[in-house]
Amino acid sequence: REERAGQQEFEAVAATVELELGRTAGPWFCGSGFSTADVVFVPYVERMGASLFYYKGFTLRDPTARPNLCRWFDSNPQA
């Protein structure tokens, strides 16, 4: 039960990030320019994507569920 609650909470946060990334025309958190916000998120999101897939079979880079996050990943010079 706790694991399912944790997954639901994580998916809610991922949905919020997806929504925020969709608020701008560019792929970045602050619009068309790569910013400090993007730099801060890169290591965390990249690690989450790898770890969640490996340990839980959860695909963070899902273009159907999270197209804005995928666009961010694909545009990120650090990822």
Side-chain angles (χ1 to χ4, degrees):
R1 187 182 312 166
E2 287 179 38
E3 187 170 328
R4 180 69 183 140
Q7 180 178 347
Q8 289 174 334
E9 186 176 334
F10 179 82
E11 288 181 16
V13 171
T16 299
V17 170
E18 175 69 18
L19 181 67
E20 289 302 315
L21 285 169
R23 290 184 192 272
T24 65
W28 314 109
F29 279 103
C30 295
S32 61
F34 190 69
S35 71
T36 304
D38 300 292
V39 171
V40 169
F41 269 84
V42 169
Y44 296 105
V45 178
E46 186 64 34
R47 187 171 195 149
M48 279 185 249
S51 297
L52 287 169
F53 183 76
Y54 182 77
Y55 291 110
K56 304 293 181 184
F58 181 83
T59 303
L60 187 60
R61 287 189 188 200
D62 181 344
T64 303
R66 289 171 288 284
N68 296 322
L69 186 60
C70 288
R71 182 175 57 146
W72 178 81
F73 267 118
D74 292 342
S75 299
N76 197 322
Q78 305 297 316

